[in-house]
Amino acid sequence: MVVLAWSEAYSVGSAMIDSDHRILINLVNQLHDAMETGQSRDVLCSVLNVLAEYVEHHFHREELLMERIGYPERATHIQNHRELENKVRAVRDRWLAGERQVLDDEVLTFLKRWLSDHILRADLAYRPWIEAAETRGGSGDGGGAMTL
Ligand SMILES: [Fe+2]
């Protein structure tokens, strides 16, 4: 069952970041499905690990992009990333430590809300800087066109 779906309204104007966001949404949906259908510990464990790792990988990528486009609010955004990363890691670690109830509806709701809220509010806020960088056609460092 799809509990969260990517839509054009979520587009931040970067194909790379949009693709990451689709993957993250997909992983949260997979986690939801695995819980709902009572999948084994191994299955849940691998989905949780992939989610936690992908979140970190994606945030790092997004932080580099924010720097390249000169997004002025990036310090607050990065702080927000660290908090979210810690939360996802804490859920994974508590679950691995045997606290099975940590993955209850509340946590899944948090993950879904976090994804849609973060993408819709925090991430969409840097879209104008992506568009401005595209208009300039380069990163300003003489290195040619940016991969956005
Ligand atoms: Fe972000």
Side-chain angles (χ1 to χ4, degrees), residues 87-135:
K87 278 184 187 159
V88 174
R89 225 182 285 137
V91 168
R92 192 226 8 222
D93 292 347
R94 284 170 63 192
W95 190 85
L96 286 176
E99 232 185 288
R100 296 294 178 254
Q101 73 281 11
V102 72
L103 267 188
D104 56 11
D105 283 349
E106 209 177 301
V107 169
L108 281 169
T109 303
F110 156 75
L111 287 173
K112 284 175 240 164
R113 193 174 301 140
W114 155 61
L115 264 181
S116 51
D117 281 3
H118 187 77
I119 296 170
L120 281 175
R121 293 194 200 142
D123 291 351
L124 277 180
Y126 61 67
R127 188 184 166 116
W129 278 267
I130 289 189
E131 287 165 352
E134 265 174 352
T135 306

Side-chain angles (χ1 to χ4, degrees), residues 62 77 81 118 123:
E62 197 177 66
H77 197 124
H81 280 175
H118 187 77
D123 291 351

Side-chain angles (χ1 to χ4, degrees), residues 16-17 21-22 29 31 33 39 56 86 89 95:
M16 179 181 75
I17 300 295
H21 286 159
R22 281 196 189 89
N29 284 334
L31 185 61
D33 277 358
Q39 294 298 309
E56 288 179 27
N86 289 340
R89 225 182 285 137
W95 190 85

Side-chain angles (χ1 to χ4, degrees), residues 18 36 50 123 128 138 141:
D18 285 349
E36 198 118 286
V50 173
D123 291 351
D141 60 6

Side-chain angles (χ1 to χ4, degrees), residues 54-68:
Y54 206 85
V55 160
E56 288 179 27
H57 168 74
H58 163 65
F59 283 171
H60 178 67
R61 212 201 305 256
E62 197 177 66
E63 286 161 20
L64 287 176
L65 175 76
M66 287 192 290
E67 198 183 327
R68 286 165 72 190

